[in-house]
Amino acid sequence: MKKIKLNKWEILSWASKYKYVAFYDSCDNVNDKYYSYDCLIAVANRCVIAKKVSKYGESDLFEQLEELQNKSKNWLFGYLGYDLKNEVEQLFSKNEDHLAFPDLFFFEPEILLLQKNGTWEVENKQNEINFEDLKKEIESSNTGNIYSANNTSYKINNRLDYASYQKKIEAIKADIENGIYYELNFCREFYAENTNINPYQVFKDLCHIAQAPMAAFLKINNQFVISASPERFLKKTGDKLVAQPMKGTMKRSKDEAEDEILKKQLKNSEKERAENVMIVDLMRNDLTRSAKLGSITVERLFDAVSYNGFHTLVSTVSANIAENISSVKAIKNAFPIGSMTGAPKVRVLEKIEAYENTKRGVYAGAIGYFMPNGDFDFNVVIRTLLYNSLKQYLSFTTGGAIVFDSKAAAEFEETELKAANILKVLNSK
C-alpha cells in the first residue's frame, strides 16, 4: 500500500472513465463502533459475475459467488439483488422489471483506494502503479465533465396512488388478523421515464443531504446505483457477525425542542418498538443458521438515531460464526434482509410478490464488499436511486413495516418521508 493525499470527489471523477466503479462512503460517520473505512473506491474494466436469477430460482448464483470468492482471494465489490430470495426459498418473481439490472454483480478491482482516519492508501493487483503518476492523473481529471448542478425539475410518478395503497394496507392487515403473518414490509415505486440525470452529481448531492453511514455508488456500464443507505445488513470481522436492523421512523423538526420530543416519541412508541423487536427476533433466528451455539447477543436495542430528515430505531445483534460456515453461506442464511421482508419470512416473501406491482431488483438487496481474508460488510439497499441511462429510466422505492395497528395514512406519509431526500436532490415536481 502507498499513502497519498486526495479528495474523494476528485477520485470519483477520475474513476468515471472505467466501466465498473464502486464507491462506498461513510459520509464522516466514523463514531460507529463497527466503522471500518471513511471511503472505499474500486475501479475495473472487467466484471467477474453479472447474472440474473432464473425465473423459478433454478440457478445457483450463491454457489457461483462462493466459488468466485474462494478462487479470487482478492477484494470483491458489488451487490446481491432482492430476487436472490428465489434461490434461498422455493419462490419465483412475476412482477415487471423496468430496470433490467443483474441480480448478482461483483468485480475485482484493478485499482483500490481506501481512506481511514482521513488518510488514503492505494492497492493495485499487479503492483505496477506509479503512485505519484496516479495522484497527478486523479488531480488532473476534468471534474467539470462529471459534476454539474441540476437545474432541471423531474416529473416523478408513482405506481401506487393513495387510494390503491390504502386498499393494499387493509388487505395486509386482514391477513395479519387472520394469522397468516404478523409483519410485512410493503413498498411502492417512484419512477421517471425518458429522463437524463447526472448520476455523479446526484450521488454527491445525496451524500451531502443525507449523510448516510452506508452510502454507496455503483457504475455498471450504463447502469447506476446511487444509495444513501443508513442501514447495515451484515458485517463479518474475524469470527464475529454483526447485524444492525433498522425499523421505526419519525420525521424531524427544525425546532430543536420539538425535534427532541419527536425523537422521544419514537423511542417510546409501542408500535415502532414492536416493529423493531420483531425484526430483531427475525435476525436472531436467521443468525442461528450461522452462529456458534449460545453466541447470539443483542448488544443494543432501540437506539434512537438521528439522520437528516428522520429519526429511526436501530438495534445491534451479533454472533460468533460457526467454523463450518463460509462468508457467502452466512450471507445466504440471513438473506433476504429481515427489515425489508417481515415475519414469518417465507410467508411474507410470497405475499410481498402478490401485493407489490414491480420487481424490487437491486432495492431491498445488499451492496458491499468481500475482503481477501473473507471478511465482508454489506448495507441494506434503501434510500436508493436506480438509473438505467440507456433506457433513460429512473426508479426508487420506499416502504415500511405493516403490523396489525398500522394506519394507511401514516404509513403512506412514511413512504413520502423516506423519499424526501431523493426528491429534493432531483428537484422533483
Side-chain angles (χ1 to χ4, degrees):
M1 284 193 181
K2 175 74 174 180
K3 295 182 179 180
I4 56 177
K5 291 185 178 180
L6 288 168
N7 176 281
K8 62 185 178 183
W9 303 116
E10 289 180 333
I11 300 175
L12 183 57
S13 175
W14 160 81
S16 66
K17 68 182 181 180
Y18 287 85
K19 290 182 179 179
Y20 306 105
V21 178
F23 180 2
Y24 304 150
D25 193 357
S26 70
C27 295
D28 298 321
N29 290 280
V30 297
N31 294 322
D32 176 29
K33 178 180 178 181
Y34 293 106
Y35 149 87
S36 293
Y37 296 98
D38 303 345
C39 291
L40 293 168
I41 303 180
V43 296
N45 283 317
R46 186 179 71 88
C47 77
V48 287
I49 189 166
K51 296 190 175 183
K52 298 283 286 185
V53 173
S54 64
K55 185 176 181 182
Y56 295 102
E58 296 166 348
S59 46
D60 58 352
L61 297 190
F62 276 105
E63 287 78 4
Q64 291 180 45
L65 177 60
E66 179 153 14
E67 182 180 347
L68 169 65
Q69 201 254 332
N70 289 334
K71 182 180 178 181
S72 170
K73 301 302 181 184
N74 189 10
W75 291 80
L76 290 172
F77 291 84
Y79 67 78
L80 303 97
Y82 173 78
D83 280 305
L84 286 172
K85 65 182 175 60
N86 298 357
E87 299 201 354
V88 177
E89 305 293 346
Q90 292 184 338
L91 301 166
F92 66 94
S93 299
K94 59 180 176 56
N95 290 332
E96 192 169 359
D97 179 5
H98 298 279
L99 284 155
F101 279 58
D103 291 315
L104 180 69
F105 169 78
F106 282 91
F107 71 89
E108 291 182 337
E110 295 174 19
I111 302 173
L112 170 61
L113 297 101
L114 313 90
Q115 186 189 54
K116 189 166 186 176
N117 300 321
T119 300
W120 284 99
E121 295 182 339
V122 182
E123 280 192 8
N124 169 236
K125 189 175 182 180
Q126 287 77 33
N127 295 315
E128 296 174 351
I129 285 183
N130 182 305
F131 295 100
E132 288 304 316
D133 287 347
L134 176 63
K135 184 174 184 292
K136 289 176 182 177
E137 182 183 335
I138 292 172
E139 290 175 334
S140 64
S141 296
N142 187 351
T143 58
N145 292 334
I146 297 301
Y147 304 110
S148 57
N150 177 24
N151 296 316
T152 304
S153 292
Y154 298 97
K155 175 66 170 69
I156 306 297
N157 306 294
N158 68 75
R159 297 201 180 274
L160 208 60
D161 60 21
Y162 177 69
S164 301
Y165 180 87
Q166 186 177 31
K167 289 179 181 178
K168 300 262 190 180
I169 296 301
E170 293 308 314
I172 293 168
K173 289 175 65 176
D175 287 347
I176 295 171
E177 189 173 9
N178 290 328
I180 297 175
Y181 46 82
Y182 49 89
E183 179 175 344
L184 181 144
N185 185 276
F186 179 61
C187 302
R188 64 189 185 108
E189 182 196 15
F190 297 78
Y191 69 98
E193 299 175 295
N194 303 314
T195 299
N196 285 304
I197 66 169
N198 181 332
Y200 303 95
Q201 185 65 44
V202 169
F203 179 65
K204 186 177 181 181
D205 291 344
L206 195 56
C207 283
H208 177 73
I209 290 174
Q211 293 295 300
M214 301 293 291
F217 176 94
L218 292 175
K219 176 189 177 186
I220 309 164
N221 282 317
N222 298 296
Q223 297 170 318
F224 298 87
V225 181
I226 304 166
S227 178
S229 174
E231 184 175 0
R232 171 173 280 118
F233 163 41
L234 195 63
K235 178 174 183 173
K236 177 181 176 291
T237 304
D239 69 346
K240 188 172 185 178
L241 295 171
V242 177
Q244 293 182 295
M246 179 181 293
K247 192 60 64 180
T249 305
M250 177 68 73
K251 65 183 179 180
R252 298 199 63 176
S253 171
K254 293 181 180 180
D255 180 83
E256 188 174 334
E258 183 181 19
D259 191 56
E260 191 60 31
I261 290 172
L262 291 170
K263 188 175 182 177
K264 288 180 180 178
Q265 286 178 356
L266 172 66
K267 180 86 171 175
N268 296 324
S269 168
E270 190 172 316
K271 172 185 175 295
E272 304 293 348
R273 289 164 70 95
E275 287 183 15
N276 191 282
V277 80
M278 285 182 196
I279 301 306
V280 169
D281 285 344
L282 178 59
M283 183 56 72
R284 290 170 63 198
N285 181 67
D286 287 345
L287 286 178
T288 59
R289 303 174 186 176
S290 304
K292 289 182 178 178
L293 186 64
S295 70
I296 299 175
T297 303
V298 179
E299 295 184 3
R300 306 281 300 178
L301 190 63
F302 308 142
D303 281 338
V305 181
S306 302
Y307 294 103
N308 192 357
F310 66 99
H311 302 292
T312 189
L313 294 180
V314 181
S315 296
T316 301
V317 185
S318 66
N320 294 325
I321 191 168
E323 293 178 2
N324 64 331
I325 298 295
S326 68
S327 296
V328 173
K329 184 67 172 177
I331 292 171
K332 183 179 180 180
N333 284 345
F335 199 89
I337 301 151
S339 61
M340 297 306 298
T341 55
K345 187 185 279 188
V346 177
R347 190 66 182 117
V348 297
L349 288 173
E350 296 170 343
K351 298 297 286 187
I352 285 170
E353 191 73 30
Y355 284 125
E356 295 180 2
N357 52 15
T358 54
K359 287 186 71 172
R360 291 185 175 185
V362 182
Y363 176 74
I367 300 169
Y369 60 85
F370 293 97
M371 297 176 69
N373 65 0
D375 286 352
F376 60 77
D377 199 5
F378 282 85
N379 75 4
V380 179
V381 185
I382 55 176
R383 316 294 204 276
T384 297
L385 182 68
L386 303 171
Y387 178 56
N388 187 321
S389 64
L390 285 181
K391 289 189 169 189
Q392 295 187 319
Y393 187 87
L394 174 158
S395 170
F396 58 98
T397 302
T398 65
I402 309 304
V403 293
F404 178 74
D405 56 351
S406 293
K407 302 292 189 294
E411 297 295 341
F412 191 82
E413 182 181 353
E414 183 175 321
T415 65
E416 298 280 329
L417 174 63
K418 291 174 177 176
N421 284 337
I422 294 176
L423 291 171
K424 185 176 181 179
V425 168
L426 294 176
N427 292 325
S428 67
K429 61 180 179 180

